[in-house]
mmCIF file of all heavy atoms in Angstrom:
data_model
loop_
_atom_site.group_PDB
_atom_site.id
_atom_site.type_symbol
_atom_site.label_atom_id
_atom_site.label_comp_id
_atom_site.label_asym_id
_atom_site.label_seq_id
_atom_site.Cartn_x
_atom_site.Cartn_y
_atom_site.Cartn_z
ATOM 1 N N GLN A 1 32.837 106.808 110.232
ATOM 2 C CA GLN A 1 34.348 106.794 110.287
ATOM 3 C C GLN A 1 34.890 106.847 108.836
ATOM 4 O O GLN A 1 35.906 107.508 108.607
ATOM 5 C CB GLN A 1 34.840 105.584 111.044
ATOM 6 C CG GLN A 1 34.548 105.617 112.518
ATOM 7 C CD GLN A 1 35.011 104.341 113.227
ATOM 8 O OE1 GLN A 1 35.313 103.341 112.605
ATOM 9 N NE2 GLN A 1 35.059 104.416 114.546
ATOM 10 N N GLN A 2 34.268 106.122 107.934
ATOM 11 C CA GLN A 2 34.761 106.118 106.545
ATOM 12 C C GLN A 2 34.658 107.471 105.923
ATOM 13 O O GLN A 2 35.552 107.962 105.200
ATOM 14 C CB GLN A 2 34.015 105.106 105.716
ATOM 15 C CG GLN A 2 34.485 104.914 104.292
ATOM 16 C CD GLN A 2 35.881 104.380 104.241
ATOM 17 O OE1 GLN A 2 36.284 103.510 105.017
ATOM 18 N NE2 GLN A 2 36.708 104.914 103.311
ATOM 19 N N GLU A 3 33.499 108.196 106.211
ATOM 20 C CA GLU A 3 33.373 109.564 105.715
ATOM 21 C C GLU A 3 34.426 110.473 106.266
ATOM 22 O O GLU A 3 34.968 111.327 105.554
ATOM 23 C CB GLU A 3 31.989 110.069 106.083
ATOM 24 C CG GLU A 3 30.822 109.411 105.308
ATOM 25 C CD GLU A 3 29.466 109.811 105.819
ATOM 26 O OE1 GLU A 3 29.368 110.594 106.789
ATOM 27 O OE2 GLU A 3 28.477 109.288 105.224
ATOM 28 N N LYS A 4 34.711 110.342 107.544
ATOM 29 C CA LYS A 4 35.742 111.178 108.154
ATOM 30 C C LYS A 4 37.134 110.878 107.495
ATOM 31 O O LYS A 4 37.913 111.814 107.182
ATOM 32 C CB LYS A 4 35.928 110.877 109.617
ATOM 33 C CG LYS A 4 34.772 111.468 110.463
ATOM 34 C CD LYS A 4 34.884 111.148 111.951
ATOM 35 C CE LYS A 4 33.730 111.569 112.767
ATOM 36 N NZ LYS A 4 33.842 111.195 114.139
ATOM 37 N N LEU A 5 37.405 109.587 107.295
ATOM 38 C CA LEU A 5 38.715 109.231 106.642
ATOM 39 C C LEU A 5 38.728 109.718 105.196
ATOM 40 O O LEU A 5 39.827 110.127 104.736
ATOM 41 C CB LEU A 5 38.866 107.705 106.667
ATOM 42 C CG LEU A 5 39.153 107.108 108.050
ATOM 43 C CD1 LEU A 5 39.208 105.604 107.961
ATOM 44 C CD2 LEU A 5 40.457 107.635 108.619
ATOM 45 N N ASP A 6 37.589 109.696 104.506
ATOM 46 C CA ASP A 6 37.611 110.186 103.148
ATOM 47 C C ASP A 6 37.901 111.722 103.077
ATOM 48 O O ASP A 6 38.604 112.203 102.243
ATOM 49 C CB ASP A 6 36.244 109.935 102.462
ATOM 50 C CG ASP A 6 35.995 108.458 102.144
ATOM 51 O OD1 ASP A 6 37.059 107.740 102.086
ATOM 52 O OD2 ASP A 6 34.856 108.026 101.909
ATOM 53 N N SER A 7 37.301 112.459 104.042
ATOM 54 C CA SER A 7 37.573 113.910 104.075
ATOM 55 C C SER A 7 39.015 114.178 104.401
ATOM 56 O O SER A 7 39.623 115.057 103.790
ATOM 57 C CB SER A 7 36.632 114.566 105.014
ATOM 58 O OG SER A 7 36.892 114.210 106.389
ATOM 59 N N ILE A 8 39.556 113.422 105.269
ATOM 60 C CA ILE A 8 41.018 113.569 105.606
ATOM 61 C C ILE A 8 41.866 113.196 104.412
ATOM 62 O O ILE A 8 42.835 113.934 104.156
ATOM 63 C CB ILE A 8 41.355 112.694 106.881
ATOM 64 C CG1 ILE A 8 40.716 113.214 108.121
ATOM 65 C CG2 ILE A 8 42.876 112.598 107.074
ATOM 66 C CD1 ILE A 8 40.797 112.311 109.295
ATOM 67 N N ASN A 9 41.500 112.171 103.753
ATOM 68 C CA ASN A 9 42.235 111.730 102.571
ATOM 69 C C ASN A 9 42.147 112.821 101.466
ATOM 70 O O ASN A 9 43.241 113.109 100.813
ATOM 71 C CB ASN A 9 41.678 110.457 102.018
ATOM 72 C CG ASN A 9 42.617 109.809 101.022
ATOM 73 O OD1 ASN A 9 43.786 110.060 100.970
ATOM 74 N ND2 ASN A 9 42.061 108.919 100.186
ATOM 75 N N LYS A 10 41.035 113.489 101.225
ATOM 76 C CA LYS A 10 40.922 114.547 100.238
ATOM 77 C C LYS A 10 41.860 115.686 100.652
ATOM 78 O O LYS A 10 42.490 116.268 99.814
ATOM 79 C CB LYS A 10 39.478 115.010 100.169
ATOM 80 C CG LYS A 10 38.575 114.048 99.394
ATOM 81 C CD LYS A 10 37.181 114.511 99.296
ATOM 82 C CE LYS A 10 36.257 113.530 98.674
ATOM 83 N NZ LYS A 10 34.867 113.986 98.560
ATOM 84 N N ALA A 11 41.853 116.045 101.938
ATOM 85 C CA ALA A 11 42.660 117.224 102.404
ATOM 86 C C ALA A 11 44.176 116.831 102.190
ATOM 87 O O ALA A 11 44.937 117.699 101.767
ATOM 88 C CB ALA A 11 42.370 117.452 103.855
ATOM 89 N N LEU A 12 44.553 115.596 102.485
ATOM 90 C CA LEU A 12 45.963 115.198 102.302
ATOM 91 C C LEU A 12 46.313 115.252 100.825
ATOM 92 O O LEU A 12 47.423 115.647 100.406
ATOM 93 C CB LEU A 12 46.214 113.805 102.898
ATOM 94 C CG LEU A 12 46.222 113.764 104.404
ATOM 95 C CD1 LEU A 12 46.389 112.302 104.873
ATOM 96 C CD2 LEU A 12 47.339 114.614 104.923
ATOM 97 N N ASP A 13 45.411 114.762 99.958
ATOM 98 C CA ASP A 13 45.681 114.802 98.515
ATOM 99 C C ASP A 13 45.849 116.233 98.016
ATOM 100 O O ASP A 13 46.719 116.526 97.202
ATOM 101 C CB ASP A 13 44.551 114.155 97.725
ATOM 102 C CG ASP A 13 44.531 112.586 97.894
ATOM 103 O OD1 ASP A 13 45.575 112.084 98.341
ATOM 104 O OD2 ASP A 13 43.473 112.023 97.587
ATOM 105 N N LEU A 14 45.026 117.137 98.536
ATOM 106 C CA LEU A 14 45.132 118.576 98.110
ATOM 107 C C LEU A 14 46.444 119.125 98.610
ATOM 108 O O LEU A 14 47.207 119.778 97.850
ATOM 109 C CB LEU A 14 43.928 119.335 98.709
ATOM 110 C CG LEU A 14 43.949 120.857 98.435
ATOM 111 C CD1 LEU A 14 43.859 121.124 96.948
ATOM 112 C CD2 LEU A 14 42.820 121.494 99.184
ATOM 113 N N LYS A 15 46.834 118.811 99.843
ATOM 114 C CA LYS A 15 48.112 119.308 100.354
ATOM 115 C C LYS A 15 49.309 118.725 99.547
ATOM 116 O O LYS A 15 50.289 119.416 99.300
ATOM 117 C CB LYS A 15 48.292 118.965 101.839
ATOM 118 C CG LYS A 15 47.388 119.785 102.768
ATOM 119 C CD LYS A 15 47.600 119.407 104.207
ATOM 120 C CE LYS A 15 46.724 120.235 105.131
ATOM 121 N NZ LYS A 15 46.920 119.923 106.555
ATOM 122 N N GLU A 16 49.195 117.451 99.184
ATOM 123 C CA GLU A 16 50.267 116.834 98.435
ATOM 124 C C GLU A 16 50.362 117.511 97.014
ATOM 125 O O GLU A 16 51.487 117.746 96.546
ATOM 126 C CB GLU A 16 50.016 115.334 98.271
ATOM 127 C CG GLU A 16 51.154 114.654 97.547
ATOM 128 C CD GLU A 16 50.925 113.136 97.415
ATOM 129 O OE1 GLU A 16 49.901 112.637 97.983
ATOM 130 O OE2 GLU A 16 51.724 112.496 96.779
ATOM 131 N N ALA A 17 49.213 117.798 96.402
ATOM 132 C CA ALA A 17 49.237 118.431 95.070
ATOM 133 C C ALA A 17 49.889 119.862 95.189
ATOM 134 O O ALA A 17 50.686 120.264 94.350
ATOM 135 C CB ALA A 17 47.846 118.517 94.552
ATOM 136 N N ILE A 18 49.500 120.529 96.245
ATOM 137 C CA ILE A 18 50.101 121.938 96.467
ATOM 138 C C ILE A 18 51.607 121.814 96.689
ATOM 139 O O ILE A 18 52.377 122.590 96.073
ATOM 140 C CB ILE A 18 49.396 122.651 97.618
ATOM 141 C CG1 ILE A 18 47.958 122.983 97.246
ATOM 142 C CG2 ILE A 18 50.164 123.874 98.020
ATOM 143 C CD1 ILE A 18 47.139 123.488 98.371
ATOM 144 N N HIS A 19 52.037 120.813 97.430
ATOM 145 C CA HIS A 19 53.449 120.596 97.734
ATOM 146 C C HIS A 19 54.204 120.242 96.428
ATOM 147 O O HIS A 19 55.255 120.794 96.151
ATOM 148 C CB HIS A 19 53.599 119.481 98.739
ATOM 149 C CG HIS A 19 55.052 119.132 98.987
ATOM 150 N ND1 HIS A 19 55.893 119.943 99.697
ATOM 151 C CD2 HIS A 19 55.790 118.092 98.638
ATOM 152 C CE1 HIS A 19 57.099 119.431 99.780
ATOM 153 N NE2 HIS A 19 57.043 118.293 99.130
ATOM 154 N N GLN A 20 53.568 119.386 95.585
ATOM 155 C CA GLN A 20 54.275 119.017 94.379
ATOM 156 C C GLN A 20 54.378 120.232 93.479
ATOM 157 O O GLN A 20 55.392 120.416 92.790
ATOM 158 C CB GLN A 20 53.460 117.903 93.702
ATOM 159 C CG GLN A 20 53.514 116.572 94.353
ATOM 160 C CD GLN A 20 54.945 116.007 94.363
ATOM 161 O OE1 GLN A 20 55.774 116.260 93.507
ATOM 162 N NE2 GLN A 20 55.249 115.264 95.474
ATOM 163 N N LYS A 21 53.344 121.063 93.377
ATOM 164 C CA LYS A 21 53.389 122.270 92.526
ATOM 165 C C LYS A 21 54.493 123.236 93.044
ATOM 166 O O LYS A 21 55.265 123.715 92.211
ATOM 167 C CB LYS A 21 52.013 122.982 92.594
ATOM 168 C CG LYS A 21 51.986 124.173 91.697
ATOM 169 C CD LYS A 21 50.608 124.778 91.813
ATOM 170 C CE LYS A 21 50.490 126.078 91.005
ATOM 171 N NZ LYS A 21 49.256 126.760 91.143
ATOM 172 N N ARG A 22 54.558 123.466 94.346
ATOM 173 C CA ARG A 22 55.565 124.339 94.896
ATOM 174 C C ARG A 22 56.983 123.738 94.669
ATOM 175 O O ARG A 22 57.911 124.520 94.344
ATOM 176 C CB ARG A 22 55.380 124.556 96.384
ATOM 177 C CG ARG A 22 54.154 125.437 96.704
ATOM 178 C CD ARG A 22 54.062 125.673 98.157
ATOM 179 N NE ARG A 22 52.946 126.551 98.456
ATOM 180 C CZ ARG A 22 52.429 126.752 99.621
ATOM 181 N NH1 ARG A 22 52.988 126.170 100.672
ATOM 182 N NH2 ARG A 22 51.387 127.530 99.784
ATOM 183 N N LEU A 23 57.152 122.445 94.825
ATOM 184 C CA LEU A 23 58.403 121.835 94.625
ATOM 185 C C LEU A 23 58.856 122.001 93.160
ATOM 186 O O LEU A 23 60.025 122.334 92.865
ATOM 187 C CB LEU A 23 58.350 120.368 94.944
ATOM 188 C CG LEU A 23 59.645 119.539 94.792
ATOM 189 C CD1 LEU A 23 60.663 120.057 95.762
ATOM 190 C CD2 LEU A 23 59.358 118.076 95.021
ATOM 191 N N LYS A 24 57.948 121.844 92.225
ATOM 192 C CA LYS A 24 58.234 122.038 90.811
ATOM 193 C C LYS A 24 58.653 123.489 90.519
ATOM 194 O O LYS A 24 59.634 123.752 89.796
ATOM 195 C CB LYS A 24 57.038 121.669 89.947
ATOM 196 C CG LYS A 24 57.275 121.758 88.477
ATOM 197 C CD LYS A 24 56.056 121.298 87.668
ATOM 198 C CE LYS A 24 56.320 121.405 86.187
ATOM 199 N NZ LYS A 24 55.117 121.039 85.378
#
């Protein structure tokens, strides 16, 4: 379960980084 949560967290971090770049 921790591995699944880690992969979801990485995906969310990537989406957040892309969102911040587009916002800028």
Side-chain angles (χ1 to χ4, degrees):
Q1 289 176 347
Q2 184 65 37
E3 289 172 359
K4 288 178 184 178
L5 291 174
D6 287 343
S7 65
I8 291 170
N9 194 20
K10 286 180 184 179
L12 288 175
D13 288 343
L14 180 62
K15 286 181 181 181
E16 183 179 357
I18 292 171
H19 176 72
Q20 291 295 330
K21 183 179 176 184
R22 287 183 181 169
L23 182 64
K24 184 177 178 183

